[in-house]
Amino acid sequence: MRSGVIRTALGWVVALVAILPGGREGMGQPLRPGRAKDYGLPPVALINQQIRQGWVEQGLRPSDLAPDGEWCRRLFIDVLGRIPTVEELRRFTASRDGDKRRKLVDELLGAGSYQEEFARHWAAVWTNVLIGRTGGSEPNSLTDRAGLEQYLRDALANHLPYDRLVYDLVTAQGTTRPGTDGFHGAVNFLVMKVNDDKGAQAAAATSRVFLGLQVQCAQCHNHPFNEWKQRKFWEFNAFFRQTRAVRREDGGDGPGFAELIDEDFSGEGSTPQEAEIYYELRNGQLEVAYPVFVDGTAISRSGRLQDVRRREQLGRLIVNSPLLERTLVNRLWAHFLGHGFTRPVDDMGPHNAPCHPQLLDDLAAAFRQNSCNLRDLMRWITLSQPYALSSRSNSTNATRDDPTRGETPKFSRFYLRQLDAEVLYESLFVARTQRPPASSPEHAEARQRWLRQFAVAFGNDEGGEATTFNGTIPQSLTMFNGELVRDALAIQPGTILHTAVHNDWKPLDRIHYVFEAGLARPATRDEINLAGQLLAAREGDASEAFQDLWWAVLNSNEFILNH
Amino acid sequence: MRTTVPSGMTRRHFLTHLAGASTLVAPALMLGSTLRVHAHDLQRRGKSAILLWMGGGPSTIDLWDLKPGAPTGGPFRPISTSGDVQICEHLPLLAQQMHHFAVIRSMSTREADHERGRYYMHTGYVPNPNIEHPSYGAVLAHELAPQRQDLEIPPFVTVGGSSVGPGFLGMAWAPFAVSSDGQVRDLSSGLGEDRLYQRMIALDAIENQFIAQQRGTVATDHQKVLKKTLALMTSAQMTAFQVNQEPEPVRQQYGNNDFGRSCLMARRLVEQGVPFVEVDFGGWDNHQNIFPTLKDQRLPTLDRAMSALVVDLEQRGLLADTAIIWMGEFGRTPRINGDAGRDHWARAWSVVLGGAGIRGGIAVGQTNEDGTRALGDTYAAEDLLATVCRALGISLETTFTSRDGRPMKIANSGKVIDAVLA
């Protein structure tokens, strides 16, 4: 009886393979690189030209262009933080419009239906940059993570230029929690960093995130590897000394919230008009410092708010500094291409030379001239040739352009990288429901709960942290057996497997459907064969066989790697 | 169509599973129980190391190298021990076990930033943007795992922390991070073994296809980790993580806290044959009010757990084959700052070594009167790693090839601290 079922099922597979067409156009086959398109955008031409020059100098041939499906998948991942639905994918791959890539980029960055998703994704990305993955979940935290995300979401939805956004984050006063009097979500960047250690963390994070300068070592001693001296650190730190975080009670049993305020600073000496601070040299000798920006610009030494508001001065100096756009361009380039022009991206001091200095300068200048418009910078990068390349290597770039081997990146192919835990969460939601992620607070809360399991804090005062969602066994266990993937296998109205199993499609179309949902391509011959074998093993139970197949798709390297 | 059989399975195994038969489930389970029977023998073979990682940078001038009477000395008094060395009065239980431990008092390093120090002390290399070096755990697991063909759980386990990654050795040597309660999340598939294997076979096929497209090593690493995950899910050796199976008196001995439980788990893991266990004990970044923090919180916990560990290892006959390394990313400033704390200080500080034939009861090297400088020969991360390698019988001529093809000598050509090797 059993063997009969198996034979029937295998026969079904053989028949399928026999009628299988050679793959759908556009989705599976690599495309030969034609002339690099620049879409009439000078910055795109600039990227293409300068990156290509590097290839020529190194004797590298770029990889082929990624097929439409792969490119579409990576664009959704990088711009919206999730994979596309089958419908979104097919709409794009089926289009014969020669300008369709540009149109998709415009659509995802535009004011239409994706606007809210875009703002939500980038708010989450920036929140991780600004307060880390564990920010807000420390015991007795003053930080309201949701408050910061709300501020960022609104700012991004309203197309706030990057310089204005940075100014807010550096200078904001107000309360941390949405709904309280005087709420200003931007204060959540600094609220946990100003009280302890004389505000050393505020200085370290602000210079690292916005100026690409790693200065934390210089707190205690002259930095051994870059030009940061202890004096410069404390001069920078002096800008934060009028600022304090104050805990406010909300009347309930909760931990309350906080308010970030500026107040007169009388200095550590005796004259508020000369509000100096002191720091200790290694030999115990005390030195004095006043607020001086990294380029040497000094401001009034007074600590009185009526004379000078130090953070506002700092905000102005930062947004006018050329380091602002260089740091941002480097950060976004790394976001989209997998590696920045420097490594790490937020350490751009003179000791750490960028791999494409001219391109970095030119792109930074273009970004500044374009009013620090974040979406335009994203448009330029995603429409560029390096972003369009396949992740498959060729004989010239397999080993010679592989940053995991310590080579400086040449961007002659798209570098594999794992989806962030946040992106994975949303992608599994999309894979399961074939709908964009919900915008409800419940969805955000559930996501945050799920993410928290992966965060590990180091035992130091600087809030160092790591994630165990990093390609190791705990992550695989989560993917194999965790609730999220279990949910994704559910067969009930509204789930992908329900659609795949309960419809009147041909068997082949059902199999292609789940591969397009997970991997943005149709199934290969081998995979169709495999589906048949699973069906045989499940004795013809299509529901169970599709669960097994879908489980394998979701657990694959091809799913979890942005490629 | 060809599919690769998951490791540990024969071709016949695979075909039978694929046909949906369940006859091989029983033998598979029996394999587990056979291993349990032999666990006692297995533990006797092979060397291991336990790293007690003191995240934040412990104030070694207050623990191992006291300066009573000096302006930098702080309030703690030194006491005599079972060895020829004095340590802090707030470590009375350890004082009775110091004949097992050597204190290296002339550590002198340059990395006084948490991240950099953490990386350097874990790898023996200063951070370099162009290469990721493997941590101790990955290196030693890589060298010692071949002695443990029967080990089904990861050879590098980190308890209560995250350690430093495997660098160019690849994700297959990454630390397996567990919390001190020993709970491993999502361990069970809830599926019959047949169905699990059939899913794995399908997964393997998709993975192989992607790997064959030559998109980079990340794709291959993913598959290696999957196979280790499968081995772990089906292994009876996972009981080693269940600290609550220990008798109550033993648990009391180690202390009823995260660090105590973690040290106990380390012993269980070493007993099971895990070559490298890192135990993370943070909270040493005492820029403020250092002395009450040490006296009331850090030191009692450390004292109880670390002394229980060495006694337990000795009683079980494991100490001779198990190295214990106690260290953090750096020490702390001899000068006491304005907040009654100590800041970061890498120029002169201490680490502690024991087990695996390390000569106990001694101090190696010294610091000057106020503890600001190390005198005579000084030691650094690579010297420690070299010394531990030698103690564990690993050749210092061992050379790795980094992914860019550069040869990298084990322990970064550190010099062995001969004085601690009896």
Side-chain angles (χ1 to χ4, degrees):
Chain A
M1 160 80 191
R2 174 183 280 175
S3 63
V5 173
I6 293 167
R7 209 172 304 125
T8 311
L10 287 175
W12 181 82
V13 173
V14 171
L16 274 181
V17 173
I19 58 165
L20 189 65
R24 297 189 178 184
E25 311 154 49
M27 275 208 235
Q29 298 306 310
L31 309 173
R32 286 276 144 199
R35 275 194 42 202
K37 290 177 82 162
D38 60 24
Y39 302 90
L41 296 167
V44 175
L46 178 84
I47 295 171
N48 292 351
Q49 187 267 322
Q50 300 221 11
I51 291 291
R52 191 167 340 125
Q53 189 183 327
W55 301 335
V56 172
E57 283 165 11
Q58 302 283 336
L60 293 172
R61 181 162 51 79
S63 291
D64 293 342
L65 293 178
D68 276 349
E70 270 180 25
W71 185 86
C72 175
R73 186 181 199 263
R74 73 172 69 143
L75 188 73
F76 270 81
I77 288 171
D78 293 332
V79 176
L80 296 184
R82 57 141 175 123
I83 57 174
T85 64
V86 175
E87 194 193 331
E88 288 165 332
L89 176 76
R90 287 182 179 169
R91 208 186 318 134
F92 176 72
T93 53
S95 165
R96 301 202 172 268
D97 185 337
D99 208 23
K100 66 181 182 176
R101 290 198 175 191
R102 182 205 175 111
K103 285 181 176 160
L104 185 62
V105 168
D106 285 346
E107 199 183 341
L108 299 199
L109 293 174
S113 54
Y114 292 111
Q115 163 136 326
E116 195 202 332
E117 250 196 279
F118 173 91
R120 235 180 317 130
H121 170 56
W122 283 93
V125 169
W126 276 107
T127 299
N128 283 344
V129 170
L130 294 168
I131 61 172
R133 286 191 157 87
T134 50
S137 57
E138 316 92 329
N140 282 319
S141 182
L142 300 173
T143 309
D144 190 306
R145 193 174 184 93
L148 182 57
E149 288 200 20
Q150 181 176 321
Y151 162 78
L152 291 164
R153 232 170 22 238
D154 292 346
L156 290 157
N158 293 327
H159 295 240
L160 193 69
Y162 180 66
D163 52 343
R164 295 266 310 279
L165 182 111
V166 172
Y167 185 80
D168 279 357
L169 290 164
V170 173
T171 63
Q173 296 190 69
T175 61
T176 53
R177 184 186 293 172
T180 54
D181 277 348
F183 168 68
H184 194 331
V187 300
N188 286 295
F189 167 53
L190 288 176
V191 73
M192 271 298 267
K193 303 184 178 88
V194 291
N195 284 2
D196 294 341
D197 252 355
K198 301 177 176 170
Q201 293 314 311
T206 302
S207 61
R208 178 175 59 78
V209 172
F210 302 126
L211 302 172
L213 297 170
Q214 301 253 5
V215 302
Q216 56 271 29
C217 308
Q219 177 187 349
C220 305
H221 55 92
N222 293 336
H223 196 295
F225 298 104
N226 69 35
E227 292 179 353
W228 270 76
K229 301 287 187 226
Q230 217 178 337
R231 160 174 297 277
K232 279 181 106 174
F233 178 86
W234 290 104
E235 287 172 344
F236 193 75
N237 164 273
F239 284 101
F240 296 94
R241 302 299 282 276
Q242 289 173 326
T243 306
R244 203 158 58 89
V246 187
R247 199 177 279 280
R248 303 280 186 223
E249 298 305 324
D250 59 0
D253 301 333
F257 57 99
E259 181 170 0
L260 192 68
I261 56 168
D262 287 339
E263 57 190 11
D264 286 344
F265 175 59
S266 47
E268 294 175 338
S270 49
T271 43
Q273 303 91 310
E274 288 273 318
E276 71 271 40
I277 59 170
Y278 294 103
Y279 61 94
E280 285 180 23
L281 296 180
R282 278 301 194 195
N283 59 17
Q285 192 185 326
L286 285 183
E287 291 280 321
V288 66
Y290 301 96
V292 180
F293 191 58
V294 297
D295 62 4
T297 307
I299 63 161
S300 161
R301 292 178 170 185
S302 172
R304 290 187 305 210
L305 294 178
Q306 66 185 60
D307 297 330
V308 62
R309 288 184 171 263
R310 289 186 175 183
R311 275 200 297 151
E312 289 180 9
Q313 295 294 323
L314 177 64
R316 262 189 281 279
L317 288 161
I318 288 178
V319 301
N320 288 317
S321 166
L323 298 178
L324 181 85
E325 56 263 26
R326 282 170 59 86
T327 307
L328 188 271
V329 164
N330 199 28
R331 189 182 294 286
L332 282 196
W333 183 271
H335 176 94
F336 287 99
L337 276 307
H339 284 270
F341 298 117
T342 66
R343 188 166 135 179
V345 287
D346 48 12
D347 186 1
M348 301 180 71
H351 60 290
N352 198 10
C355 58
H356 292 74
Q358 191 62 48
L359 177 56
L360 174 59
D361 286 349
D362 293 350
L363 213 46
F367 173 70
R368 173 71 82 172
Q369 278 157 20
N370 201 49
S371 313
C372 298
N373 183 324
L374 289 166
R375 284 177 179 76
D376 280 343
L377 178 57
M378 294 177 191
R379 179 174 288 111
W380 303 336
I381 296 175
T382 53
L383 287 174
S384 73
Q385 189 183 13
Y387 192 74
L389 298 177
S390 171
S391 52
R392 297 192 193 203
S393 57
N394 61 36
S395 58
T396 69
N397 66 6
T399 58
R400 284 170 51 230
D401 185 10
D402 181 358
T404 66
R405 292 173 191 261
E407 295 283 337
T408 49
K410 285 117 193 158
F411 308 104
S412 73
R413 57 171 163 150
F414 192 81
Y415 305 126
L416 293 185
R417 67 254 193 185
Q418 187 182 282
L419 303 185
D420 287 337
E422 292 83 357
V423 174
L424 179 85
Y425 186 92
E426 303 294 19
S427 294
L428 283 174
F429 181 91
V430 170
R432 171 167 58 99
T433 62
Q434 289 299 304
R435 290 190 280 118
S439 65
S440 67
E442 293 76 30
H443 179 89
E445 179 52 37
R447 184 175 88 151
Q448 201 53 32
R449 225 180 9 252
W450 184 81
L451 291 171
R452 220 167 287 154
Q453 63 183 311
F454 302 112
V456 189
F458 300 156
N460 66 49
D461 283 359
E462 289 174 11
E465 59 180 22
T467 174
T468 58
F469 197 82
N470 57 356
T472 56
I473 291 172
Q475 175 192 309
S476 300
L477 285 171
T478 303
M479 294 298 293
F480 273 17
N481 307 321
E483 53 165 329
L484 215 52
V485 173
R486 263 207 318 275
D487 288 351
L489 304 185
I491 301 182
Q492 60 200 40
T495 68
I496 177 173
L497 289 190
H498 191 271
T499 308
V501 174
H502 299 287
N503 59 34
D504 52 6
W505 300 345
K506 295 193 193 97
L508 201 60
D509 288 337
R510 301 175 191 214
I511 298 170
H512 284 320
Y513 183 68
V514 297
F515 276 86
E516 284 169 51
L519 307 176
R521 61 166 175 84
T524 62
R525 275 167 184 266
D526 282 352
E527 286 160 347
I528 291 164
N529 196 336
L530 197 64
Q533 291 182 22
L534 287 170
L535 189 66
R538 299 271 68 79
E539 302 184 8
D541 183 328
S543 295
E544 288 194 354
F546 266 100
Q547 283 182 320
D548 293 348
L549 186 66
W550 185 227
W551 180 92
V553 166
L554 296 180
N555 270 287
S556 67
N557 42 16
E558 190 172 352
F559 179 79
I560 203 151
L561 297 175
N562 187 3
H563 57 277
Chain B
M1 155 182 164
R2 297 190 66 89
T3 49
T4 306
V5 179
S7 67
M9 293 177 70
T10 63
R11 181 88 187 157
R12 189 174 64 86
H13 214 132
F14 153 49
L15 290 171
T16 318
H17 277 299
L18 202 58
S22 57
T23 48
L24 283 174
V25 172
L29 290 176
M30 276 166 60
L31 178 69
S33 51
T34 320
L35 283 173
R36 250 197 308 278
V37 173
H38 292 303
H40 203 66
D41 294 333
L42 285 175
Q43 78 199 19
R44 306 270 162 205
R45 279 180 255 136
K47 309 272 186 186
S48 294
I50 298 173
L51 168 60
L52 304 177
W53 177 256
M54 304 294 119
S59 179
T60 56
I61 190 173
D62 294 312
L63 275 71
W64 313 113
D65 188 14
L66 282 75
K67 301 291 174 186
T72 55
F76 300 162
R77 305 286 106 198
I79 55 171
S80 296
T81 70
S82 61
D84 185 20
V85 58
Q86 290 196 318
I87 64 171
C88 173
E89 60 182 325
H90 300 301
L91 297 171
L93 298 172
L94 270 171
Q96 296 169 37
Q97 305 301 331
M98 284 310 287
H99 55 288
H100 293 304
F101 291 110
V103 180
I104 317 291
R105 283 181 171 157
S106 51
M107 288 297 290
S108 185
T109 55
R110 293 175 54 92
E111 303 300 337
D113 166 68
H114 288 295
E115 290 288 328
R116 295 182 63 91
R118 209 174 108 78
Y119 184 95
Y120 172 60
M121 291 307 297
H122 271 88
T123 62
Y125 286 87
V126 297
N128 173 340
N130 295 322
I131 189 166
E132 276 181 59
H133 303 94
S135 66
Y136 264 95
V139 169
L140 296 185
H142 186 267
E143 293 307 299
L144 297 173
Q147 300 173 3
R148 315 285 167 75
Q149 292 296 342
D150 300 317
L151 188 70
E152 293 162 352
I153 54 182
F156 174 12
V157 177
T158 174
V159 190
S162 60
S163 190
V164 169
F168 58 73
L169 291 180
M171 287 315 280
W173 301 99
F176 179 59
V178 291
S179 58
S180 70
D181 63 8
Q183 295 296 315
V184 177
R185 261 192 318 261
D186 301 323
L187 188 59
S188 168
S189 70
L191 297 173
E193 213 171 66
D194 280 9
R195 198 164 171 202
L196 175 61
Y197 280 127
Q198 285 155 2
R199 284 187 176 182
M200 282 303 296
I201 288 160
L203 172 54
D204 219 35
I206 300 175
E207 295 253 328
N208 284 335
Q209 188 176 271
F210 193 68
I211 288 168
Q213 292 166 350
Q214 305 203 347
R215 296 174 191 257
T217 48
V218 186
T220 320
D221 283 353
H222 184 265
Q223 190 180 45
K224 287 183 190 162
V225 173
L226 290 188
K227 294 192 170 169
K228 286 184 180 247
T229 306
L230 183 66
L232 187 103
M233 281 168 60
T234 52
S235 172
Q237 295 175 9
M238 289 303 286
T239 54
F241 290 99
Q242 289 164 19
V243 174
N244 56 15
Q245 291 192 355
E246 288 286 323
E248 185 59 26
V250 178
R251 285 150 67 187
Q252 286 298 328
Q253 203 70 41
Y254 279 83
N256 183 25
N257 52 60
D258 283 342
F259 183 59
R261 280 185 290 274
S262 303
C263 285
L264 179 51
M265 196 192 300
R267 190 222 78 209
R268 288 177 63 87
L269 291 167
V270 164
E271 200 167 29
Q272 184 59 255
V274 175
F276 194 93
V277 184
E278 175 165 339
V279 174
D280 200 289
F281 184 37
W284 297 92
D285 196 16
N286 312 122
H287 289 283
Q288 293 144 15
N289 292 326
I290 186 168
F291 301 111
T293 308
L294 289 180
K295 176 169 170 282
D296 300 332
Q297 297 170 27
R298 298 294 99 185
L299 299 189
T301 305
L302 173 69
D303 190 38
R304 176 160 288 279
M306 188 169 165
S307 58
L309 176 64
V310 73
V311 169
D312 202 3
L313 287 172
E314 187 189 28
Q315 284 173 354
R316 287 164 190 266
L318 294 166
L319 187 60
D321 291 321
T322 308
I324 300 175
I325 308 146
W326 179 100
M327 67 179 180
E329 53 263 51
F330 36 68
R332 306 200 75 83
T333 45
R335 237 186 72 77
I336 299 163
N337 67 25
D339 298 323
R342 296 187 193 267
D343 303 318
H344 306 173
W345 190 249
R347 292 303 165 89
W349 58 293
S350 305
V351 302
V352 177
L353 295 179
I358 302 276
R359 191 172 150 212
I362 58 166
V364 177
Q366 55 180 320
T367 49
N368 66 350
E369 278 168 18
D370 61 4
T372 52
R373 274 187 302 119
L375 303 174
D377 284 346
T378 63
Y379 302 103
E382 53 273 30
D383 306 322
L384 273 192
L385 181 50
T387 307
V388 172
C389 283
R390 173 67 61 78
L392 297 176
I394 298 168
S395 166
L396 293 172
E397 297 305 312
T398 307
T399 301
F400 302 105
T401 306
S402 75
R403 287 191 173 166
D404 63 347
R406 248 181 289 179
M408 311 277 290
K409 218 167 188 188
I410 198 168
N412 194 11
S413 307
K415 57 180 186 287
V416 171
I417 309 171
D418 289 317
V420 302
L421 293 177

